[in-house]
Amino acid sequence: MTRQLPYCYKHPHPAVAVDLVIFTLRDDSLHLLLIERGAAPFRGQWALPGGFVRINENLPDAAQRELREETGLSQGYLEQVGAFGKPDRDPRERVISVAFFAIISADKVALHAGSDAHRVEWRPCSDLPPVAFDHREIIEAARLKLSDKINRTTTIALEFLPREFTLTELQRVFEAVRGESIDKRNFRKWAESLSFIKETGKMRRGAQHRPAALYKAKLARR
Amino acid sequence: MTRQLPYCYKHPHPAVAVDLVIFTLRDDSLHLLLIERGAAPFRGQWALPGGFVRINENLPDAAQRELREETGLSQGYLEQVGAFGKPDRDPRERVISVAFFAIISADKVALHAGSDAHRVEWRPCSDLPPVAFDHREIIEAARLKLSDKINRTTTIALEFLPREFTLTELQRVFEAVRGESIDKRNFRKWAESLSFIKETGKMRRGAQHRPAALYKAKLARR
DNA sequence: TCAAAAGTGTTTGCTATACACCCATGA
DNA sequence: TCATGGGTGTATAGCAAACACTTTTGA
């Protein structure tokens, strides 16, 4: 018995996990990463990537580790959404989940099917399948937090974009996150006042229309 | 051995606690509740009230329970701040703390010294003593969240006040939370546009100055 | 030459801020 | 009568939103 269950406590302890809501922009719309669960419970259902926190691991480190395991990315914006702990949210045992949201730019992702997952897929936020556990609730909280955050801390919009980007691409980020379209002239006037981006002098050519000026962050990222 | 440590798991589990940042307004300034710890670790030091989450208890319920144990109040605004989980934040064992902030009106408090606390005191936010664990960090996060929240969700300002209040008292709430003074005429003009308060028709008399009109929430609280 | 996105200004209304004096009361 | 907070209006500047046409390219 002690062989199989070697960690003993005076009082009952819950397990603690991290779950990740990983956002990206594809085809001008907000997507997030779901995995198809390869093990019970909820085997075969879609769910957020996540896993248990190691006993000496900081919460953001655990989130970072899961992010790397699912996407191959070792950097990317990460922010805590909060703790979710309804007693029956996991049928196995009491599990408190600390949710994080992450933002990554679509051009940098290499998806890895994890050991306990069949498939890993980007799904549009506007059309999500049913998800396991209380992950729907976590996703809603993360979306709220993200749209709050992008309004306050405009710079994180850049996390969705490659190093060089056009103003229209930047506009699409705000439109996707806010879920509404923005007037082009008003947006560009407002973007001029942003102090954290600058023109590169280069142009993006090759499309069947007028070339677009390329911008980048003033402070180098990544 | 099994007698003393009867709860056994295959993997190590952290303990999970809730900690409370309980705000109130006293003498026109923001205060929060601290307890003097009566037991190790940090015996004799000031700390936030809190305790372990029971194995079948929802997180907000645990916070509500702690709030009641410390203040005698069974209602009051409660909102999660987030999870704090540095591996060494508690010297006893790995403890993940889920912090909540609460708002209560000073006129309703009956402080109870808990079983593991010597003293329970209101302390001004502007002049806090050193606190145990990572509670300073939790307090800062809670203050940020509170001032965010009061700007977005104006109605929670009422949580600081008795059922009937004057406009000056309401102004003091915003001033204390924002940490800056507000022009009286601008405030009152803005307050007129609030749809969730109304005049009672009554006046607060008895002070050595002109009586003040009393207001209350349009929707009955408590 | 056509389709498709890039780029560009002005007007209007609302909201935030600055600012100073008289009023009603209790001691 | 005096100290104390209660109560009131106007002017200005800055920001958000509405709104339409010309330009440049690749196919």
Side-chain angles (χ1 to χ4, degrees), chain B residues 12 28-29 31 60 68 79 81 87 103 105 112 116 130 134 149 157 159 165-166 178 184 192 198 209 222:
Chain B
D28 296 340
S29 81
H31 282 58
R68 189 169 46 247
E79 180 171 326
V81 175
I103 304 172
S105 65
H112 300 300
D116 57 351
D134 57 355
K149 186 73 185 187
E159 302 290 339
F165 53 88
T166 67
R178 299 220 266 254
K184 199 208 295 189
E192 266 177 32
K198 61 179 176 197
H209 53 75
R222 351 176 210 271

Side-chain angles (χ1 to χ4, degrees), chain A residues 2 4-16 53-59 80-87 93-94 96 98 145 148 152, chain B residues 2 4-16 53-59 80-87 93-94 96 98 145 148 152:
Chain A
T2 307
Q4 290 166 299
L5 300 172
Y7 299 99
C8 297
Y9 306 91
K10 192 171 169 191
H11 301 288
H13 281 36
V16 176
V53 176
R54 294 177 183 161
I55 198 64
N56 277 309
E57 188 178 41
N58 209 345
L59 297 172
Q80 192 188 121
V81 175
F84 294 77
K86 292 209 181 96
E93 64 173 323
R94 178 82 193 270
I96 311 271
V98 181
K145 194 111 185 180
D148 260 28
R152 299 164 175 284
Chain B
T2 308
Q4 290 166 300
L5 300 172
Y7 300 99
C8 296
Y9 306 90
K10 193 170 169 192
H11 301 288
H13 281 37
V16 176
V53 176
R54 295 178 183 162
I55 198 65
N56 277 308
E57 187 179 42
N58 209 345
L59 297 173
Q80 193 189 120
V81 175
F84 295 77
K86 294 211 181 94
E93 64 173 323
R94 179 82 193 272
I96 311 271
V98 180
K145 193 112 184 179
D148 261 29
R152 300 164 173 282

Side-chain angles (χ1 to χ4, degrees), chain B residues 201-217:
Chain B
K202 288 187 263 181
M203 299 294 241
R204 172 165 302 159
R205 325 186 69 90
Q208 280 183 59
H209 53 75
R210 181 171 168 178
L214 285 168
Y215 287 73
K216 65 177 179 184

Side-chain angles (χ1 to χ4, degrees), chain A residues 34-197:
Chain A
L34 293 181
I35 61 167
E36 194 185 51
R37 289 183 59 82
F42 298 103
R43 187 184 165 127
Q45 274 209 38
W46 293 101
L48 294 172
F52 293 103
V53 176
R54 294 177 183 161
I55 198 64
N56 277 309
E57 188 178 41
N58 209 345
L59 297 172
D61 293 343
Q64 197 70 249
R65 175 172 56 78
E66 292 293 336
L67 180 63
R68 189 168 48 246
E69 287 173 10
E70 290 321 322
T71 66
L73 289 175
S74 50
Q75 4 67 310
Y77 187 84
L78 257 186
E79 180 171 327
Q80 192 188 121
V81 175
F84 294 77
K86 292 209 181 96
D88 56 355
R89 60 181 291 284
D90 191 312
R92 292 168 291 187
E93 64 173 323
R94 178 82 193 270
V95 180
I96 311 271
S97 171
V98 181
F100 285 77
F101 79 83
I103 303 172
I104 62 181
S105 66
D107 65 301
K108 286 213 277 342
V109 191
L111 295 181
H112 298 300
S115 57
D116 59 350
H118 288 126
R119 289 191 286 162
V120 183
E121 274 182 22
W122 290 112
R123 294 306 208 90
C125 286
S126 56
D127 181 32
L128 292 174
V131 287
F133 305 104
D134 56 355
H135 286 182
R136 165 65 57 170
E137 192 185 336
I138 293 177
I139 290 168
E140 290 313 315
R143 290 192 62 179
L144 254 182
K145 194 111 185 180
L146 170 66
S147 78
D148 260 28
K149 186 73 187 187
I150 208 168
N151 288 326
R152 299 164 175 284
T153 313
T154 321
T155 65
I156 69 154
L158 301 185
E159 302 290 339
F160 283 100
L161 296 172
R163 219 182 70 257
E164 297 185 330
F165 52 88
T166 68
L167 286 186
T168 300
E169 287 166 348
L170 185 61
Q171 183 177 340
R172 297 289 175 255
V173 172
F174 285 92
E175 289 176 329
V177 171
R178 297 221 267 255
E180 60 191 21
S181 59
I182 302 171
D183 177 85
K184 200 208 295 191
R185 283 170 293 187
N186 290 339
F187 179 80
R188 292 165 102 94
K189 197 180 336 142
W190 174 81
E192 267 177 32
S193 73
L194 297 178
S195 55
F196 56 88
I197 59 170

Side-chain angles (χ1 to χ4, degrees), chain B residues 87-105:
Chain B
D88 56 355
R89 59 181 293 283
D90 191 312
R92 292 167 291 185
E93 64 173 323
R94 179 82 193 272
V95 180
I96 311 271
S97 171
V98 180
F100 285 77
F101 79 82
I103 304 172
I104 61 180
S105 65

